Amino acid sequence: WAAYAVGFMVPGPVDAASYLYPLTRDPHPQVRLVAVQSLSRMHLSSPDGIAVLRERFGDPDPAVREAAIQGFANSPWMVLRHMEACIDLLRDPSPQVRGYAAQALMNVSPVSKPAVPELEKLARDEHPFAREKALLALKSLNRSDENEAGRD
């Protein structure tokens, strides 16, 4: 509960994030999830905090992976710095993770053009959430292309 509460403190305690880092590796998935969710709400700027969230992309629990990519989606510059890892999540076994990865990449279009081949595959996904997010991301990228063409 303490990890949960810390994520809602605005501004958060200066070193609160550092107390959450070890909890992201807790054996219990619910503890990891709450720690990652709290870190995601903090809009991290430290390299350590970003690395901790990025590490959770490989968590065995899909809810933790989902929370980690949502944290990245809240801070587009994090997506930009870890574009390949975000693109890799478009192939995650969890449809929620795939969908939120597409949303995170949409937030940085047109820079996310390298994701187009994977987004096109995801646009045919059997799960409606993942499919919808992929289609929205592709639509955003197409609008970006049209805007760029209109400037020429």
Side-chain angles (χ1 to χ4, degrees):
W1 284 110
Y4 178 79
V6 165
F8 288 102
M9 294 180 180
V10 179
V14 174
D15 61 351
S18 64
Y19 290 107
L20 293 171
Y21 298 162
L23 297 178
T24 66
R25 295 184 184 104
D26 193 271
H28 194 281
Q30 187 66 31
V31 174
R32 292 194 312 272
L33 174 62
V34 171
V36 169
Q37 288 172 331
S38 290
L39 287 169
S40 294
R41 284 190 297 272
M42 291 179 155
H43 300 289
L44 299 172
S45 59
S46 78
D48 289 342
I50 296 161
V52 167
L53 278 185
R54 166 60 187 87
E55 180 182 278
R56 294 298 93 201
F57 283 11
D59 196 275
D61 188 279
V64 176
R65 294 193 309 273
E66 179 183 331
I69 189 61
Q70 283 181 306
F72 268 58
N74 291 336
S75 299
W77 65 271
M78 289 169 40
V79 176
L80 292 172
R81 289 192 178 169
H82 298 273
M83 179 85 62
E84 285 303 315
C86 294
I87 292 171
D88 287 346
L89 287 180
L90 295 172
R91 295 182 291 273
D92 192 90
S94 164
Q96 298 300 112
V97 172
R98 293 191 305 270
Y100 283 117
Q103 181 176 330
L105 291 159
M106 178 181 69
N107 291 343
V108 296
S109 65
V111 181
S112 56
K113 283 184 184 179
V116 167
E118 288 301 322
L119 286 168
E120 287 174 340
K121 290 177 193 172
L122 192 59
R124 296 182 300 276
D125 197 274
E126 64 185 37
H127 194 276
F129 178 79
R131 186 175 57 244
E132 176 186 329
K133 295 295 185 182
L135 289 168
L136 287 171
L138 287 167
K139 186 176 182 179
S140 176
L141 283 162
N142 285 336
R143 271 196 307 263
S144 297
D145 285 345
E146 290 168 6
N147 289 340
E148 287 296 316
R151 289 184 190 157
D152 292 338

